[in-house]
Amino acid sequence: MPKVTRDDVARLAGTSTAVVSYVINNGPRPVAPATRERVLAAIKQLGYRPDRVAQAMASRRTDLIGLIVPDARQPFFAEMAHAVEQAASERGKMVLVGNSDYLDEREVHYLRAFLGMRVSGLILISQGPSRNAATEIDAWDARVVLLHERPEAIDDVAVVTDDIGGAQLATRHLLEHGHAYVACLGGTEVTPEVGDPVTDHVVGWRRAMQESGRSTEGRLFQAPYNRYDAYKVALELLAGPDRPPAIFCATDDQAIGVLRAARELRIDVPGELAVAGFDDVKEAALADPPLTTVASDRQAMARAAVDAVLDDGLRVAGSHRERVRQFPSRLVVRGSCGCAPHTAVSAP
């Protein structure tokens, strides 16, 4: 059978091909409701399928949003990617996902690939300093929004959570249980980067400890972000002579690894060891015991990032600080800290 064209739809609907285009693309000009209904009915009757490739070539934009994450296998990034996909779908867009694997060259690879495909915009959950990524973005003059992390090298609109305030909340809560101090399981970075969430979690922990008059000397331990390697670090830490009474972990995945190590060493949580994490991944509620953690509104953050990357009006001008939208953090209390669950507490 011959391919149905836009001309066929226009003839059946009794209108012009331009009007058919306005209906299919939701603009740029308005179409009267009755006319829109005739066009949609003609499209359905004829089984017309728009040529998206041709549309992209004409507009130099596709219905795609690129999303680069450090590692989609980690629960936090998987849940954030799903939230971005839902928000993009609400705007009639699809999402392409690339994993940087915490490697600068892979991050740049996906930047080039997605921008070369003329995506409508790109959302970047950065893997680190991203100086090479910043150069690439400038070269393409791309529509980019940073999500979760805000590297100083990239001066684009960012959507983040209150990482420092959330970490302070969790650390204070553990201290309020009467522990002599709270240790911190941070990241693996020797030189912390400004705008990195894990670095900010460590900053929040330090501030809470210092506010309470506790020393942080020798109480910060480096660990990979994933539960498997964090479990190995925790085994050594908890089996040692200076086992901490409480641990704040920079990520929930690390905290789940700590809980596993404590169980293996027959250390009672929270009786002998209190634990708190950060991210509130879905598995946190199913941990044993359920994990006290810090949460943010991932759905709202994803929607804000998609809106910002698609709508020029939301891409505010001004200083780096003015181009950052920060969502509040809240403490979700469960069993691992030593008290019964209650209503979440928001960061001030």
Side-chain angles (χ1 to χ4, degrees):
M1 294 182 64
K3 181 179 178 180
V4 177
T5 68
R6 194 168 297 189
D7 288 337
D8 297 327
V9 174
R11 277 193 295 272
L12 182 59
T15 186
S16 67
T17 55
V19 170
V20 173
S21 177
Y22 300 154
V23 171
I24 292 171
N25 298 307
N26 289 316
R29 295 184 180 180
V31 177
T35 304
R36 176 179 292 274
E37 288 302 318
R38 290 204 314 274
V39 171
L40 292 175
I43 289 173
K44 183 177 181 179
Q45 180 178 333
L46 295 172
Y48 173 66
R49 296 292 181 269
D51 188 337
R52 296 299 183 188
V53 174
Q55 289 178 329
M57 291 178 64
S59 65
R60 299 183 65 82
R61 283 286 183 269
T62 64
D63 286 333
L64 301 173
I65 293 176
L67 171 64
I68 302 175
V69 301
D71 186 352
R73 295 171 299 181
Q74 292 187 25
F76 174 81
F77 295 124
E79 291 177 22
M80 184 63 83
H82 186 263
V84 169
E85 184 180 21
Q86 285 183 314
S89 179
E90 293 171 3
R91 298 291 304 270
K93 303 293 182 180
M94 294 182 292
V95 178
L96 297 174
V97 180
N99 289 268
S100 69
D101 291 330
Y102 293 98
L103 298 173
D104 193 56
E105 60 268 23
R106 285 189 63 80
E107 186 172 270
V108 171
H109 163 76
Y110 279 113
L111 272 168
R112 290 173 177 166
F114 290 163
L115 295 176
M117 295 171 68
R118 298 292 181 183
V119 293
S120 296
L122 192 141
I123 296 174
L124 172 62
I125 302 179
S126 179
Q127 52 79 38
S130 298
R131 295 184 181 90
N132 291 333
T135 301
E136 197 69 28
I137 290 168
D138 289 342
W140 283 87
D141 189 26
R143 300 163 63 100
V144 176
V145 169
L146 305 170
L147 179 59
H148 177 59
E149 184 163 344
R150 181 177 51 85
E152 286 292 303
I154 305 178
D155 188 22
D156 273 278
V157 174
V159 178
V160 298
T161 192
D162 183 4
D163 291 294
I164 294 176
Q168 285 179 282
L169 270 179
T171 306
R172 287 174 189 153
H173 183 76
L174 292 175
L175 289 171
E176 286 168 0
H177 279 274
H179 299 298
Y181 68 92
V182 176
C184 178
L185 217 60
T188 57
E189 294 80 6
V190 177
T191 305
E193 291 289 337
V194 175
D196 170 61
V198 171
T199 298
D200 286 347
H201 297 170
V202 173
V203 170
W205 164 77
R206 285 189 188 279
R207 289 184 183 178
M209 288 280 284
Q210 291 165 355
E211 288 168 358
S212 68
R214 271 88 161 183
S215 171
T216 59
E217 186 67 30
R219 292 169 178 171
L220 172 62
F221 301 91
Q222 292 184 337
Y225 304 140
N226 69 81
R227 68 189 66 181
Y228 309 103
D229 292 323
Y231 153 78
K232 297 174 185 177
V233 173
L235 273 180
E236 184 176 349
L237 172 61
L238 299 179
D242 299 320
R243 186 180 78 205
I247 301 177
F248 165 66
C249 300
T251 72
D252 280 354
D253 235 27
Q254 291 173 322
I256 290 171
V258 170
L259 292 178
R260 168 64 187 179
R263 189 180 312 115
E264 189 169 308
L265 295 171
R266 299 184 183 278
I267 297 171
D268 178 62
V269 178
E272 298 175 273
L273 174 70
V275 180
F278 201 114
D279 289 334
D280 193 30
V281 299
K282 291 186 181 299
E283 291 177 81
L286 299 178
D288 184 19
L291 181 64
T292 292
T293 184
V294 178
S296 58
D297 192 339
R298 277 193 288 276
Q299 296 292 332
M301 290 175 65
R303 193 172 295 110
V306 169
D307 287 345
V309 86
L310 295 178
D311 301 334
D312 287 330
L314 297 178
R315 299 171 60 79
V316 296
S319 68
H320 190 66
R321 183 178 297 274
E322 292 170 338
R323 292 160 64 82
V324 176
R325 181 172 180 186
Q326 186 181 79
F327 283 76
S329 294
R330 65 185 187 279
L331 182 66
V332 180
V333 178
R334 298 192 179 102
S336 67
C337 63
C339 61
H342 60 75
T343 304
V345 180
S346 298

